[in-house]
Amino acid sequence: MSQNSHQGTPATGTSGTSWALVTGSTSGIGRATAVGLAEDGYAVVVTGRDRDRAAETRRMIEAAGGRAIDLLADLSNSASVRALIAQVQDAIDGPLDVLVNNAGGGGFAPTESTPEETFDTHFTLHTKAPFMLTGAFAPAMAERGHGCIVNVGSLSTLMAAAGTAAFQASKGALSMLTKSWTAEYGPRGVRVNSVDPGVILTPTNEGIRDALKGLLAKVPAGRGGEAEDVANAVRFLVSPKASYIYGVTLTLDGGQTSVVTL
Ligand SMILES: NC(=O)c1ccc[n+]([C@@H]2O[C@H](COP(=O)([O-])OP(=O)(O)OC[C@H]3O[C@@H](n4cnc5c(N)ncnc54)[C@H](OP(=O)(O)O)[C@@H]3O)[C@@H](O)[C@H]2O)c1
């Protein structure tokens, strides 16, 4: 077996438990990813702002026989990101081999009426926090010669919608970081990739399901995605089966951006 085929494989035993940190794992895509990575053998750091939902994800993992800790952080606040990094470093008893930069949220408005704080929130949550977390954990992965980072982007890296400019720009920056980190850490065994979800049926869009019906009717898959559809892609990207996949973005939109309706 080549050295690369080990990338992303949970290492247990003498080298200790292999850990995965999934941001935004108190809900939706992040929760499904955290539960899935635990099934794959990782001990998981669950994080978000909501204490009850963080504990619920941890308990879901534990009930399935996995191992998890939950740590609270507001990733739109740099001091809170720094505190999370220190807490993770203190709490885990093995290498952090997987980082999933998933936490994200809305706050949409036309450019001229987007408050500066909203712009800053998007860029801290979607770009700066992943940047800080990667800066904190990727060097140790590189030193060990293996590790995986997955950034959860959005179709906004491919196409624009009016009224979401700050969100889209911040996700676009994250998309570029996938390539920057592939250049930086890839040669030392750290694989960095992205997933770009289309419409995924999670709590974030619960209130606009009726409005999404028309769009989803035109999606070749004939439905919106489930959180598990994205989680499965992340699980694949961090697995040895993806050991030659570096710096790509996997679009998970049921075919939405591949077709035009004639
Ligand atoms: N669902 C879709 O259709 C879709 C489409 C494209 C992209 N995405 C992306 O997929 C990712 C996950 O979205 P989702 O659909 O799973 O949404 P969700 O169910 O609302 O989950 C969002 C997660 O992000 C966390 N989060 C939000 N703001 C945070 C903050 N300031 N600090 C720390 N954590 C924060 C939330 O945790 P707390 O509430 O506990 O803080 C929650 O765990 C996001 O990056 C989103 O942009 C989703």
Side-chain angles (χ1 to χ4, degrees), residues 198-200 218-225 251-259:
V199 177
I200 309 298
K218 294 183 194 150
V219 169
R223 63 173 177 89
T251 301
L252 292 156
D253 66 351
Q256 183 190 337
T257 51
S258 300
V259 300

Side-chain angles (χ1 to χ4, degrees), residues 140-233:
M141 294 179 187
E143 207 166 294
R144 291 190 295 274
H146 68 94
C148 291
I149 298 171
V150 180
N151 295 322
V152 179
S154 151
L155 287 192
S156 55
T157 63
L158 298 172
M159 57 209 296
T164 64
F167 170 82
Q168 297 197 303
S170 65
K171 287 286 192 177
L174 180 61
S175 176
M176 192 61 216
L177 286 172
T178 296
K179 294 180 185 181
S180 302
W181 292 332
T182 297
E184 213 167 318
Y185 301 111
R188 290 177 283 159
V190 182
R191 294 189 302 101
V192 186
N193 292 291
S194 294
V195 291
D196 275 0
V199 177
I200 309 298
L201 305 175
T202 68
T204 201
N205 49 37
E206 240 160 30
I208 55 165
R209 293 283 160 82
D210 281 346
L212 290 172
K213 274 185 186 156
L215 187 155
L216 290 178
K218 294 183 194 150
V219 169
R223 63 173 177 89
E226 301 292 338
E228 287 72 19
D229 291 322
V230 184
N232 287 339

Side-chain angles (χ1 to χ4, degrees), residues 27-260:
S27 177
I29 291 167
R31 172 176 279 175
T33 302
V35 169
L37 289 175
E39 274 175 31
D40 294 339
Y42 292 96
V44 179
V45 180
V46 173
T47 185
R49 293 164 301 179
D50 189 285
R51 186 177 300 280
D52 292 343
R53 285 190 278 107
E56 197 179 318
T57 304
R58 173 178 52 74
R59 283 194 296 267
M60 287 167 74
I61 290 171
E62 289 169 348
R67 190 167 166 218
I69 57 171
D70 54 307
L71 299 171
L72 300 184
D74 179 354
L75 300 186
S76 67
N77 175 310
S78 301
S80 185
V81 181
R82 275 191 290 277
L84 175 66
I85 290 166
Q87 285 177 315
V88 172
Q89 285 165 338
D90 271 359
I92 65 177
D93 58 1
L96 190 99
D97 288 327
V98 171
L99 167 63
V100 184
N101 288 310
N102 163 76
F108 304 138
T111 297
E112 67 274 16
S113 50
T114 297
E116 188 177 338
E117 308 79 65
T118 303
F119 181 92
D120 289 343
T121 295
H122 280 298
F123 271 82
T124 307
L125 178 58
H126 300 133
T127 311
K128 191 173 175 184
F131 193 90
M132 292 170 73
L133 290 165
T134 297
F137 296 113
M141 294 179 187
E143 207 166 294
R144 291 190 295 274
H146 68 94
C148 291
I149 298 171
V150 180
N151 295 322
V152 179
S154 151
L155 287 192
S156 55
T157 63
L158 298 172
M159 57 209 296
T164 64
F167 170 82
Q168 297 197 303
S170 65
K171 287 286 192 177
L174 180 61
S175 176
M176 192 61 216
L177 286 172
T178 296
K179 294 180 185 181
S180 302
W181 292 332
T182 297
E184 213 167 318
Y185 301 111
R188 290 177 283 159
V190 182
R191 294 189 302 101
V192 186
N193 292 291
S194 294
V195 291
D196 275 0
V199 177
I200 309 298
L201 305 175
T202 68
T204 201
N205 49 37
E206 240 160 30
I208 55 165
R209 293 283 160 82
D210 281 346
L212 290 172
K213 274 185 186 156
L215 187 155
L216 290 178
K218 294 183 194 150
V219 169
R223 63 173 177 89
E226 301 292 338
E228 287 72 19
D229 291 322
V230 184
N232 287 339
V234 175
R235 292 167 73 178
F236 166 69
L237 285 172
V238 306
S239 78
K241 288 180 178 161
S243 64
Y244 200 58
I245 301 181
Y246 285 70
V248 306
T249 297
L250 188 52
T251 301
L252 292 156
D253 66 351
Q256 183 190 337
T257 51
S258 300
V259 300
V260 285

